[in-house]
Amino acid sequence: MASLPTDLNHRLTSFDQGLTSAKRRKWRSHTLYYLVMVAISCGTFYPLIWLLLSSFRENRDIFMAPFALPEQLNFHNWAEAWRIGNMSTYAKNSVLVTSVTLICILLFASLAAFALSKLKFRGSGLLMLLFAFGLFMPLQSFFIAQSYIFEQLHLKDSYMGLILPYTGVGLPLAIFLLKAYLDSIPKDLMEAARMDGCGDFTLFSRIVLPLLMPSLATVGIFSALNTWNELLLAMLYIQTDALKTIPVGLLAFSSRYMTDYKLLFSALALITLPMIVVYVFFHRYIVAGLTEGAIK
């Protein structure tokens, strides 16, 4: 019995050593994780920071010392890029096209997701499969047929020539995300609303739509970024300078023989910063919208 305190003390010492070792391993793993994340963040944000700093410099300085800091924050390049590049017109067109496209995607996708998830009808599975195919089809696979149809309908060189394809390309992903969330909503909630006399429209507008807000924010951010930055269709369908969007307008700073890099970087900074601000402000909704419905 005399050896019992010694044995107990030995066990307590071993437990403390094991606990200390576990804490050390946890601290090391956390430190390694944060170091890797910091390295990835620096690699991701450095091009944006370099772009912003280069927008304050002259072409000669950009070529002679591309990684040097600007001597002063001269916003004259920004004002000159906005004036010479006719950015006010391009920005207005981009805002108009992006806004209308975003409204169409959110409206049609939410209605389609509600119908496919809560209103069971014949052929709903096949219809959802067709929308899923849209996730895997590249734009180039149907561009020729789409261009021919738009030519016959006289939709080229107009806002609708961009809004329609942007909406069509954005709908499959939007419907997929919204339907995944709606599938996680308990049926008891819908049945209780039905028993209270709610019709389909009332059920959608007063119950489903408020619950969809996190997912709608996620879909809206992705759709807005994709529409704002799209170049191929905007370059091929729009020929009138007064209807061109910002990505096409940036080509004005680059010619066959020369590129004015200081104005190009200034214009890029002007159109990139608003999207970064929007993303930073709504980034928490992206994570919430993507994880909602993952666990029922």
Side-chain angles (χ1 to χ4, degrees):
M1 298 296 295
S3 62
L4 182 59
T6 303
D7 183 62
L8 180 60
N9 186 35
H10 177 70
R11 291 184 179 181
L12 290 176
T13 303
S14 300
F15 177 77
D16 291 339
Q17 291 178 351
L19 186 62
T20 303
S21 178
K23 289 182 178 180
R24 288 177 180 176
R25 289 195 299 269
K26 184 177 180 180
W27 181 83
R28 290 173 183 173
S29 62
H30 284 183
T31 302
L32 179 61
Y33 170 79
Y34 286 116
L35 288 176
V36 172
M37 290 296 103
V38 168
I40 294 176
S41 300
C42 291
T44 302
F45 284 103
Y46 178 75
L48 297 176
I49 297 174
W50 182 83
L51 168 66
L52 180 62
L53 295 178
S54 298
S55 66
F56 299 114
R57 308 174 66 193
E58 297 295 327
N59 289 332
R60 177 174 54 85
D61 299 330
I62 294 174
F63 285 107
M64 294 182 62
F67 302 106
L69 295 176
E71 297 179 359
Q72 60 180 352
L73 298 180
N74 185 7
F75 290 93
H76 175 71
N77 290 345
W78 289 29
E80 188 177 0
W82 186 268
R83 179 180 57 84
I84 295 178
N86 196 22
M87 298 301 294
S88 59
T89 300
Y90 301 146
K92 180 196 69 174
N93 295 332
S94 290
V95 170
L96 177 62
V97 172
T98 301
S99 301
V100 176
T101 301
L102 187 59
I103 293 173
C104 292
I105 290 177
L106 295 181
L107 176 62
F108 297 147
S110 58
L111 290 172
F114 172 69
L116 293 171
S117 177
K118 301 305 179 183
L119 304 179
K120 299 302 181 182
F121 55 91
R122 182 177 299 178
S124 60
L126 178 60
L127 185 59
M128 187 61 199
L129 184 62
L130 293 177
F131 281 119
F133 283 153
L135 297 172
F136 307 103
M137 293 181 61
L139 180 63
Q140 294 79 3
S141 62
F142 53 83
F143 170 73
I144 296 177
Q146 183 185 83
S147 178
Y148 176 78
I149 294 174
F150 281 11
E151 184 74 30
Q152 299 300 314
L153 296 177
H154 304 287
L155 292 176
K156 287 187 176 182
D157 217 18
S158 67
Y159 290 129
M160 293 304 298
L162 296 181
I163 294 173
L164 288 178
Y166 290 167
T167 302
V169 171
L171 278 177
L173 178 61
I175 293 174
F176 181 81
L177 292 176
L178 296 180
K179 182 181 180 300
Y181 173 68
L182 287 177
D183 288 342
S184 66
I185 297 179
K187 294 182 179 180
D188 297 340
L189 179 63
M190 301 296 171
E191 293 176 356
R194 296 285 189 188
M195 293 179 63
D196 289 338
C198 291
D200 292 338
F201 179 77
T202 305
L203 182 64
F204 171 77
S205 60
R206 295 192 177 184
I207 297 179
V208 173
L209 197 58
L211 294 175
L212 275 178
M213 286 304 172
S215 296
L216 287 175
T218 303
V219 171
I221 292 173
F222 282 127
S223 301
L225 291 176
N226 292 334
T227 304
W228 184 269
N229 297 321
E230 203 283 326
L231 173 63
L232 178 60
L233 296 182
M235 184 173 59
L236 295 176
Y237 287 166
I238 303 297
Q239 303 300 324
T240 303
D241 190 67
L243 298 177
K244 290 181 179 179
T245 55
I246 285 179
V248 181
L250 293 176
L251 299 178
F253 298 104
S254 179
S255 63
R256 182 176 180 181
Y257 302 103
M258 179 181 176
T259 299
D260 195 336
Y261 287 100
K262 69 174 183 179
L263 297 185
L264 178 60
F265 290 151
S266 299
L268 286 171
L270 284 170
I271 68 170
T272 302
L273 289 179
M275 289 294 101
I276 294 177
V277 172
V278 170
Y279 181 84
V280 171
F281 185 77
F282 289 102
H283 76 280
R284 65 180 183 272
Y285 295 109
I286 294 180
V287 178
L290 290 175
T291 55
E292 290 285 357
I295 301 177
K296 296 186 178 181

